Amino acid sequence: MKKCILLILPLIIIFSFGFSRSNTELDLRRSFLIYSEGDSEISSLLEYNIKTKMVQQGKYKVMTRDDIFLKNISDILGKVDNSVLDVDFLVYLKILESFPSKEIMNDQVWWEYNIIVKCEVIKVSTGESFYSQLFSSQGTSYVGRNQSDIEAYFYARRNAINNLTTYVVKALNNLFRLKANILRIEDNYLFIDGGRNIGIHKGMMFEFVNSTEINGKPYDEFGGKLITDEVWEAESKLKILEKPRSFDYKNENVYVIENPFLSSVRNVFNLYYLNESLQRNGFGFEIGIDNYEHLYIGTDFQFLFDNNFFSLDIDFNLGYLNYLAEMDSNILLGASIGLKSVNTKEGNSYGYFKLTPKIGYSHYINKSVGLTCRFGYNILLPKEHEIDLGNNIVIDLGISLRF
């Protein structure tokens, strides 16, 4: 029995070592060392905040000086050695200025804290600095009954550091976008050759890139919008939210690239002429979102004019969108609830609760601009006011902008 255990144990160790090694080799995420110099207290907090935020994203492997017990980096700047820094990139932050100021105005007292930092990104393998940028950040905190002067000072400094962290991480995300090739396309989904191994996570936004040549020079076209639906170790499934208009995404030269500035919803702004009960004319505007999953939510403001009164309506809209022709057109089925405020020439004011079932149609001439038409039926309560508007038909015609 002991001989069997002695024979099996080395095999288990070898297998475990090989398995762990293969897992390590699959982790192809970029690695960073965050190093800050200047004000020691700000440097420590800044390094910690940037590392925490980048690790939470899951895109990168991140270290600070505390992880490798590095005290001084000035000796190796410009001649970075892989044996010293086992990372891909060095993010070097030099705090140029940090200064607080106390402001007093109209019985209000607050602290402002300003930080100016130079951010430099260095490729470790070559020592090449390929990104350099100045960032200026400000934090504010008020002195009050529940916050002392010294607390306001420290909160202002922390807010400045948090804002600076956001600027740096945003710049790194834009600088190091993830790229992947398309493996296959199934209906409204496509599969790519990258997953957790390169830092992709669910909800990450991508766009298509078409690599072409114009007059013998390489040229990249960007278009469309995709969202990560499922992620595996070395593969991901993306849902196509918008298809590119200027090229065929099924072309063999097309790949996908991360775009952290894309949104998983589409914003809509409508400006329209309004007619109520075929008697009162006016105008309105609406701000809404389309989540690409048939759900529409919006808020609109309507201004109506009559010979004897003026009314202002504020409504909350909820609807179902039926997409037509590759989302260039849609039919809206929904309803709005809101309040109607009526002001007469005599100076009297009346309020109504309003419920409006509605149907609408929108057609977009291009990606952003379209025409819209909607019909609804206003149900107004109560009916006991001196001005009885009654239930009535409402029609609006206008321009729709989406982005």
Side-chain angles (χ1 to χ4, degrees):
M1 185 67 179
K2 290 183 179 180
K3 290 182 178 180
C4 291
I5 293 174
L6 291 174
L7 289 173
I8 294 172
L9 187 59
L11 294 175
I12 294 174
I13 294 173
I14 293 171
F15 176 78
S16 300
F17 176 76
F19 181 76
S20 62
R21 184 178 178 183
S22 64
N23 277 347
T24 303
E25 291 174 348
L26 285 175
D27 192 350
L28 304 176
R29 293 178 299 166
R30 296 182 177 96
S31 56
F32 293 84
L33 170 66
I34 311 298
Y35 187 89
S36 179
E37 284 187 339
D39 186 301
S40 59
E41 293 183 355
I42 294 177
S43 294
S44 298
L45 284 172
L46 184 59
E47 289 179 9
Y48 174 80
N49 284 3
I50 293 175
K51 177 184 176 181
T52 301
K53 197 159 190 175
M54 292 177 70
V55 169
Q56 286 174 348
Q57 290 179 341
K59 285 177 57 178
Y60 314 109
K61 295 178 286 184
V62 189
M63 295 188 297
T64 65
R65 74 179 85 193
D66 295 333
D67 298 311
I68 57 177
F69 306 105
L70 185 65
K71 294 182 179 179
N72 192 346
I73 205 170
S74 59
D75 295 336
I76 54 177
L77 280 176
K79 49 179 180 180
V80 184
D81 184 0
N82 274 322
S83 64
V84 178
L85 294 176
D86 189 18
V87 292
D88 298 322
F89 300 96
L90 167 66
V91 181
Y92 177 63
L93 302 164
K94 178 67 175 178
I95 300 174
L96 303 178
E97 292 186 29
S98 58
F99 51 94
S101 62
K102 189 175 183 179
E103 306 292 337
I104 302 174
M105 183 180 295
N106 297 331
D107 297 328
Q108 284 190 323
V109 181
W110 69 93
W111 278 96
E112 289 184 359
Y113 204 99
N114 296 272
I115 306 174
I116 300 176
V117 168
K118 181 181 179 182
C119 176
E120 194 171 1
V121 180
I122 301 171
K123 190 172 183 180
V124 171
S125 60
T126 62
E128 172 194 4
S129 175
F130 63 93
Y131 178 82
S132 182
Q133 181 69 44
L134 284 179
F135 292 104
S136 178
S137 175
Q138 183 184 81
T140 303
S141 185
Y142 285 83
V143 179
R145 181 179 301 174
N146 300 320
Q147 185 164 269
S148 66
D149 188 79
I150 190 67
E151 288 175 327
Y153 169 83
F154 280 106
Y155 276 116
R157 188 181 70 171
R158 177 167 294 183
N159 290 337
I161 295 172
N162 290 340
N163 292 335
L164 186 58
T165 299
T166 301
Y167 300 153
V168 173
V169 173
K170 185 177 180 179
L172 293 175
N173 282 336
N174 188 42
L175 195 62
F176 297 98
R177 299 202 215 181
L178 301 180
K179 299 179 182 179
N181 297 312
I182 300 173
L183 297 175
R184 61 188 184 279
I185 300 172
E186 297 179 3
D187 298 326
N188 208 35
Y189 294 88
L190 59 85
F191 295 81
I192 59 175
D193 62 351
R196 286 188 293 268
N197 61 328
I198 63 171
I200 295 176
H201 57 80
K202 187 173 182 179
M204 184 176 284
M205 302 300 299
F206 285 83
E207 62 184 336
F208 292 100
V209 183
N210 182 35
S211 296
T212 60
E213 285 191 3
I214 298 178
N215 297 326
K217 296 181 179 180
Y219 176 76
D220 289 337
E221 292 181 277
F222 297 84
K225 185 190 293 188
L226 308 101
I227 186 170
T228 307
D229 187 64
E230 292 186 60
V231 183
W232 300 282
E233 187 60 37
E235 190 175 320
S236 298
K237 178 182 178 183
L238 308 184
K239 182 177 182 179
I240 303 173
L241 301 181
E242 292 182 16
K243 297 176 181 179
R245 293 172 177 266
S246 59
F247 58 87
D248 182 5
Y249 68 94
K250 298 179 181 179
N251 190 306
E252 61 180 7
N253 296 323
V254 174
Y255 62 94
V256 296
I257 186 171
E258 178 200 2
N259 188 337
F261 302 107
L262 291 178
S263 173
S264 58
V265 298
R266 181 162 43 189
N267 299 301
V268 180
F269 177 79
N270 295 327
L271 180 64
Y272 52 86
Y273 158 78
L274 182 65
N275 181 280
E276 189 177 87
S277 192
L278 302 178
Q279 297 176 0
R280 294 175 286 277
N281 299 300
F283 68 93
F285 65 89
E286 179 183 23
I287 302 171
I289 59 171
D290 167 14
N291 75 340
Y292 295 98
E293 296 287 347
H294 304 285
L295 177 65
Y296 180 81
I297 300 173
T299 302
D300 66 356
F301 301 84
Q302 299 178 351
F303 305 87
L304 282 158
F305 304 92
D306 191 87
N307 293 330
N308 300 315
F309 62 84
F310 160 79
S311 71
L312 167 64
D313 297 17
I314 302 176
D315 298 332
F316 172 76
N317 304 319
L318 183 65
Y320 173 85
L321 286 175
N322 184 19
Y323 304 116
L324 306 172
E326 298 289 350
M327 294 192 178
D328 283 341
S329 301
N330 62 64
I331 295 175
L332 170 72
L333 298 173
S336 64
I337 57 174
L339 298 173
K340 176 186 282 289
S341 175
V342 176
N343 295 283
T344 66
K345 289 184 177 180
E346 292 78 17
N348 299 322
S349 298
Y350 303 95
Y352 299 85
F353 172 78
K354 185 174 73 169
L355 173 64
T356 309
K358 60 178 60 177
I359 182 172
Y361 174 76
S362 298
H363 176 73
Y364 287 87
I365 303 169
N366 53 41
K367 179 182 177 181
S368 302
V369 182
L371 302 175
T372 182
C373 175
R374 295 184 183 182
F375 298 88
Y377 187 76
N378 290 337
I379 302 172
L380 301 177
L381 296 171
K383 298 183 178 181
E384 292 80 15
H385 283 321
E386 183 178 317
I387 298 179
D388 184 9
L389 300 178
N391 300 334
N392 50 68
I393 296 173
V394 60
I395 304 171
D396 65 71
L397 303 168
I399 298 174
S400 180
L401 305 175
R402 62 183 184 182
F403 47 92

